[in-house]
Amino acid sequence: MLKLTPGQHIHLIGIGGAGLSAIARILLQRGFSVSGSDLRPSGVTAALQDEGARIHHGHHAEFVDGAELVLMSSAVAAEHVEARAARSKGIAIVKRNAFMGPLLEGYRTIAVAGTHGKTTTTSMIVHILQQAGQDPSYIVGGTMGNTGKNAGIGTGQSFVIEADEYDNMFHGLRPKIAVVTNVEHDHPDYFLTAEDQLRAFAKFAELVPESGALVACSDESGALDLMNTRKERKLSALSYAIDDAAADWRATELAFSENETRARIHRNGVFLGSLVLRLPGAHNVANALAATIVADLEGVGFEESAAALASFKGAERRFEIRGIRDDVIIVDDYAHHPTEIRVNIDAARARYPRHRIWVIWQPHTFSRVREFYSDFLSAFDAADQVLITPIYAAREEPIPGISSPVLVESMADHPSARFAPDFEDAVACLRRDIAGPTVVLICSAGDANRIADLYLESDDR
């Protein structure tokens, strides 16, 4: 079994990514020697370097020299030059699903899984527990607005972690408490079918011990199935919902304004009080419900959780307002699945009913576009204007017949869907055609968030 000992030199291939950068930060804080490589410099790699990591830009065989263990991102191919070099030198190579168990050994693990909402829900749990004085350790898939970090070591016994399903990373966890927000098919390059993904989540839920608890959203069929399976075994499982009146915890009477979202919270039919969130959307009320249940299991009462959530600032690239200029609100969101795009448009409509809604969409991976093609075509129906940039390939090669211009042609029924061949063209379109009051929602799991900077920094309107 893999053993981790402070002082070891661990090299991370793909250290600038969301998953590995958080792990690197934990390793540094625990006294490991950390090196890592990534294709190009970024704010993330610069911050890690400031914290003590040795950062290499590009990828070369000699970067693994001196390492005792190599941790490889799920996006890195097995024949990567550094992986080959490590094997030739007899250095052990692991992926996250083999690494996380040893990393979290000795902690009470709280793991948040789901196709959508896990970054925000994880961040909310961390924030509540911090405000309650429990000082958990944590790994989140995005930078928290309240801490300015995506990971940290605390003095408490709990470790709150975003449980990524890609490459079955979450199978390496042993959660005392597991949250499942939903189980909708995604990552078709890894989970070829929805059934494959559901089986992976079922295995994750089975990792929760008899003495632990599963928290699941009963408004969503996949999560509901996991909860019912656990209840059939007479094991602890708690449901939360907005629509399901039979849920253990429920939010009702949701109300939206430009500055806040409100809801009334009930447990087993008993009114507990109201939640006030800075974040928009019914989906974030559901995320807050899940976080409140976890906090309750950790001994934090509802009133204390509600007070903490009122000061929760969200996470980077999760409906993050990047700036406002001439009554044009620029919002950056990681949405890259049809469901995520729809709920973000709905959230924008609810929060800003006077505003027109522009969406700039950077499709993420060819396989995802192909798998959910028809769903993507209808995902923008509630938007006034849509700009589609070239597909962000990530780890994939192009698929014939799958391209952004073809997507635009297929959206002929939309009143305004256009192709922007590059970010500069998208910015030029905004400068030329936009007028307030408008919300510009940038939906991208790639690098299209740069459009926000280009638009807000320019004086040439």
Side-chain angles (χ1 to χ4, degrees):
M1 180 178 174
L2 179 66
K3 292 290 185 182
L4 298 177
T5 305
Q8 281 179 304
H9 176 186
I10 300 178
H11 181 79
L12 291 78
I13 306 175
I15 196 170
L20 262 60
S21 63
I23 293 171
R25 186 162 275 130
I26 294 296
L27 291 171
L28 288 166
Q29 292 180 26
R30 287 177 54 179
F32 289 80
S33 174
V34 175
S35 64
S37 61
D38 216 291
L39 191 58
R40 57 183 63 90
S42 68
V44 172
T45 57
L48 289 173
Q49 185 163 299
D50 289 343
E51 293 170 35
R54 187 162 66 256
I55 302 296
H56 304 284
H57 299 131
H59 297 291
H60 297 283
E62 61 267 24
F63 290 167
V64 303
D65 288 351
E68 298 166 74
L69 179 69
V70 169
L71 176 61
M72 191 164 69
S73 165
S74 298
V76 173
E79 291 306 307
H80 186 280
V81 60
E82 292 171 31
R84 290 200 311 269
R87 282 193 295 270
S88 71
K89 298 173 186 294
I91 303 170
I93 304 172
V94 296
K95 288 191 174 183
R96 289 179 300 160
N97 59 2
F99 191 83
M100 299 311 298
L103 183 67
L104 273 58
E105 187 175 358
Y107 286 100
R108 175 182 170 89
T109 301
I110 300 168
V112 181
T115 306
H116 322 296
K118 53 185 176 286
T119 297
T120 299
T121 305
T122 308
S123 300
M124 286 176 164
I125 294 169
V126 173
H127 182 62
I128 293 172
L129 297 183
Q130 286 179 333
Q131 293 299 295
Q134 295 193 13
D135 197 20
S137 300
Y138 65 96
I139 286 178
V140 181
T143 301
M144 288 181 56
N146 292 88
T147 68
K149 303 286 186 182
N150 62 351
I153 291 291
T155 58
Q157 290 300 306
S158 296
F159 201 118
V160 187
I161 184 167
E162 181 172 332
D164 184 7
E165 71 272 21
Y166 191 79
D167 206 17
N168 286 330
M169 170 276 200
F170 61 179
H171 289 170
L173 303 174
R174 296 296 179 268
K176 188 71 172 181
I177 300 173
V179 176
V180 177
T181 59
N182 40 64
V183 190
E184 190 173 8
H185 188 207
D186 196 13
H187 306 298
D189 60 323
Y190 187 76
F191 299 112
L192 298 183
T193 67
E195 291 72 23
D196 291 338
Q197 187 161 348
L198 184 56
R199 281 192 291 270
F201 271 83
K203 182 175 178 179
F204 167 72
E206 290 169 0
L207 296 172
V208 182
E210 291 185 8
S211 59
L214 175 69
V215 178
C217 180
S218 56
D219 281 338
E220 198 276 328
S221 61
L224 178 61
D225 287 346
L226 298 181
M227 185 196 69
N228 287 336
T229 297
R230 187 168 172 88
K231 283 189 171 181
E232 288 168 4
R233 298 170 56 202
K234 309 299 182 185
L235 300 176
S236 176
L238 295 165
S239 60
Y240 66 95
I242 293 172
D243 298 325
D244 178 18
D248 299 309
W249 290 65
R250 191 180 180 209
T252 65
E253 299 181 43
L254 277 62
F256 307 99
S257 68
E258 189 160 326
N259 296 314
E260 63 184 29
T261 299
R262 305 182 71 93
R264 290 168 61 86
I265 306 302
H266 309 261
R267 179 176 59 194
N268 298 322
V270 177
F271 174 64
L272 297 179
S274 295
L275 276 182
V276 180
L277 304 174
R278 298 184 183 186
L279 307 184
H283 62 297
N284 279 317
V285 173
N287 294 336
L289 260 181
T292 302
I293 296 171
V294 172
D296 185 73
L297 292 170
E298 293 294 281
V300 182
F302 174 77
E303 289 187 3
E304 194 169 4
S305 291
L309 287 169
S311 65
F312 177 67
K313 297 179 180 178
E316 184 181 45
R317 303 193 71 181
R318 272 67 180 181
F319 211 94
E320 179 187 8
I321 297 177
R322 295 289 305 279
I324 303 174
R325 183 170 178 174
D326 299 334
D327 211 10
V328 176
I329 304 169
I330 307 296
V331 178
D332 177 18
D333 196 274
Y334 203 67
H336 54 284
H337 184 281
T339 297
E340 294 166 349
I341 291 168
R342 286 192 189 95
V343 299
N344 273 282
I345 295 173
D346 289 346
R349 285 278 181 212
R351 173 150 287 194
Y352 303 106
R354 295 187 309 109
H355 291 58
R356 290 171 57 80
I357 308 296
W358 281 55
V359 179
I360 300 176
W361 174 41
Q362 182 184 44
H364 190 267
T365 71
F366 294 92
S367 61
R368 183 179 281 110
V369 172
R370 180 178 63 184
E371 181 69 21
F372 307 122
Y373 197 89
S374 60
D375 289 328
F376 276 124
L377 296 184
S378 62
F380 302 90
D381 288 351
D384 297 299
Q385 301 272 342
V386 183
L387 291 179
I388 303 178
T389 72
I391 296 172
Y392 188 86
R395 53 196 166 269
E396 294 185 345
E397 295 296 324
I399 297 174
I402 302 296
S403 71
S404 293
V406 171
L407 279 164
V408 170
E409 290 179 14
S410 300
M411 293 174 67
D413 291 338
H414 193 282
S416 180
R418 290 176 276 177
F419 173 58
D422 53 44
F423 296 162
E424 289 74 16
D425 184 80
V427 172
C429 183
L430 294 179
R431 293 177 191 152
R432 182 180 64 246
D433 298 338
I434 205 164
T438 298
V439 174
V440 177
L441 179 59
I442 302 171
C443 294
S444 165
D447 58 354
N449 56 327
R450 288 175 47 212
I451 292 172
D453 297 324
L454 292 171
Y455 177 77
L456 292 168
E457 290 172 359
S458 173
D459 289 326
D460 181 15
R461 291 286 305 279

